[in-house]
Amino acid sequence: MKRKWLMYGLTVSICSMMWLTPATAQTASDFKLKASTAESSNSQFTITLSGEQIEDLYAYEAKLTFDPEKLELVKAETDIEGYSVSAIVTNGEITFAHTKIGKVKGEKGNLDITTLTFKAKKAGSSQVKWTGMKIVDQNLKSQTISPNLATSFMKLFSDISGHWAKADIMAMVDRGVVSGMSTDRFAPNNEVTRAQFAMMLAGALKLKAGSGNPFKDVKKGAWYEDAVKKAYAAGLVSGVTADSFKPEKPISREEMAVMLVRSKAYALGVKPETLKEGKLPSYSDQSSISGWAKFSVSVAAEAKLMNGRSAALFAPKGQTTRAEAAVVLKRLLASL
């Protein structure tokens, strides 16, 4: 449906306007797009479309794009006097139009044109892009501009603000490697189970479907069944015994080292034993590293995939937290 505005007795259709040659041309460099904050655990944020050295802005139609899976438009508004057409949102594109009313002058100088409020649907980064701007001056002469300006916002989990692994966690969230325990909580200090880490590896390496499942405790239909089958088929994981995977068992640091090294070898298309073995730092608990894990621990240390729990301890039997898992996965992907 067309929305029409009456200007000086002339009817102008905003949705299908015949754009005329402008009397005074604005350029894309005259416009600015900024977010109220770069990152926050608050779900809502605003972006402002502004202009500098505007010559004559009587009416306008702004177009923006966003990812509707990540963001929801809450409202669009302007402080410029006149009449606004309610924002139209279609397939990730926003159209917002406004006009002054009557025989008055257009806006001049530096001004905020439109403010849009968004709600982040989930944690992670999102982008809004200002793609188009149609301008009408007080004489009803008009022009179309493509600002091509973008701004980003990151919705943080409420429990990782100030956390030492915040950046790595959010990087892995954006790549779809890890996810929150809820839309608002990541639980960075919770332990990671063997099934959870298998799922993270399957997502990080984009593993293809696997058919083999020798483990009696990986039940059909379990949330981790597909990930464990994929990781097993790729040779990334093995069982605690020949037919037991222990999916709910917290993963130890030495188990994680083995899975990481196998994952690196798989991604490079080589056998794990061909990877460079390094000399372990002088950990006082080296003797407690299991024989089956020593090679992988040394390779992981050489490749800087894992550090010790401290300068003196590797803590091979220690459990891994969700934050630590995100960090080592980022290192793994970076090493590839």
Side-chain angles (χ1 to χ4, degrees):
M1 181 179 68
K2 294 181 179 179
R3 298 180 183 270
K4 296 185 177 182
W5 299 340
L6 190 63
M7 299 179 182
Y8 313 161
L10 298 177
T11 298
V12 181
S13 171
I14 289 300
C15 294
S16 57
M17 191 176 284
M18 297 299 292
W19 297 102
L20 309 175
T21 304
T24 305
Q26 297 287 156
T27 66
S29 61
D30 292 330
F31 296 102
K32 306 292 180 184
L33 177 64
K34 61 182 180 180
S36 56
T37 182
E39 62 179 39
S40 172
S41 57
N42 189 338
S43 294
Q44 286 199 356
F45 70 103
T46 62
I47 66 166
T48 302
L49 286 60
S50 61
E52 295 181 354
Q53 300 180 24
I54 299 297
E55 296 293 337
D56 185 352
L57 179 64
Y58 185 88
Y60 66 88
E61 179 186 78
K63 287 187 178 293
L64 304 96
T65 57
F66 69 104
D67 185 345
E69 291 188 1
K70 294 182 177 181
L71 297 175
E72 174 186 342
L73 179 67
V74 176
K75 61 182 177 180
E77 54 192 355
T78 179
D79 289 333
I80 298 174
E81 291 185 359
Y83 174 77
S84 294
V85 178
S86 297
I88 300 170
V89 182
T90 307
N91 298 324
E93 182 177 71
I94 301 166
T95 303
F96 179 74
H98 181 81
T99 182
K100 296 173 79 69
I101 299 174
K103 194 171 183 179
V104 296
K105 293 182 178 180
E107 298 291 321
K108 295 183 66 176
N110 300 337
L111 68 149
D112 290 340
I113 298 170
T114 301
T115 299
L116 300 101
T117 302
F118 289 90
K119 178 181 178 181
K121 294 181 177 180
K122 55 185 178 181
S125 62
S126 51
Q127 185 184 78
V128 178
K129 188 173 183 179
W130 188 2
T131 57
M133 186 67 173
K134 295 178 181 179
I135 299 172
V136 180
D137 67 19
Q138 62 184 314
N139 297 312
L140 300 188
K141 293 184 177 180
S142 53
Q143 61 178 304
T144 303
I145 297 168
S146 299
N148 288 323
L149 299 172
T151 187
S152 297
F153 169 80
M154 179 170 284
K155 164 69 170 68
L156 299 174
F157 293 105
S158 62
D159 56 359
I160 68 167
S161 295
H163 195 280
W164 62 271
K166 180 185 77 173
D168 288 352
I169 290 170
M170 296 311 302
M172 293 297 94
V173 166
D174 279 343
R175 294 188 65 163
V177 175
V178 300
S179 58
M181 298 297 285
S182 69
T183 56
D184 192 52
R185 291 181 63 255
F186 184 75
N189 299 321
N190 282 16
E191 294 177 343
V192 177
T193 65
R194 287 167 52 81
Q196 288 172 339
F197 197 65
M199 178 169 279
M200 292 176 186
L201 289 175
L205 300 180
K206 304 187 185 308
L207 298 181
K208 296 179 180 179
S211 56
N213 178 18
F215 308 120
K216 294 179 180 179
D217 55 358
V218 177
K219 302 298 184 183
K220 187 173 181 61
W223 63 265
Y224 49 77
E225 179 197 13
D226 186 54
V228 172
K229 287 168 68 173
K230 287 178 179 180
Y232 177 75
L236 310 188
V237 303
S238 56
V240 174
T241 65
D243 62 357
S244 174
F245 184 72
K246 298 289 185 186
E248 302 295 348
K249 176 180 177 289
I251 190 171
S252 68
R253 285 170 50 80
E254 62 183 5
E255 286 175 326
M256 186 172 71
V258 172
M259 292 186 192
L260 284 172
V261 169
R262 289 175 179 173
S263 298
K264 184 175 176 68
Y266 171 84
L268 296 176
V270 301
K271 294 181 178 180
E273 57 267 27
T274 65
L275 295 178
K276 185 178 179 182
E277 185 175 7
K279 183 179 180 181
L280 281 175
S282 300
Y283 296 125
S284 61
D285 58 356
Q286 280 194 44
S287 61
S288 63
I289 300 174
S290 301
W292 50 265
K294 284 186 176 179
F295 172 78
S296 293
V297 171
S298 68
V299 172
E302 175 67 21
K304 294 182 173 24
L305 299 180
M306 291 181 67
N307 300 323
R309 272 278 165 81
S310 67
L313 295 173
F314 182 75
K317 305 298 189 291
Q319 269 75 58
T320 299
T321 66
R322 286 170 52 79
E324 289 172 331
V327 171
V328 298
L329 288 167
K330 183 184 178 186
R331 292 174 182 171
L332 171 65
L333 293 176
S335 74
L336 302 177

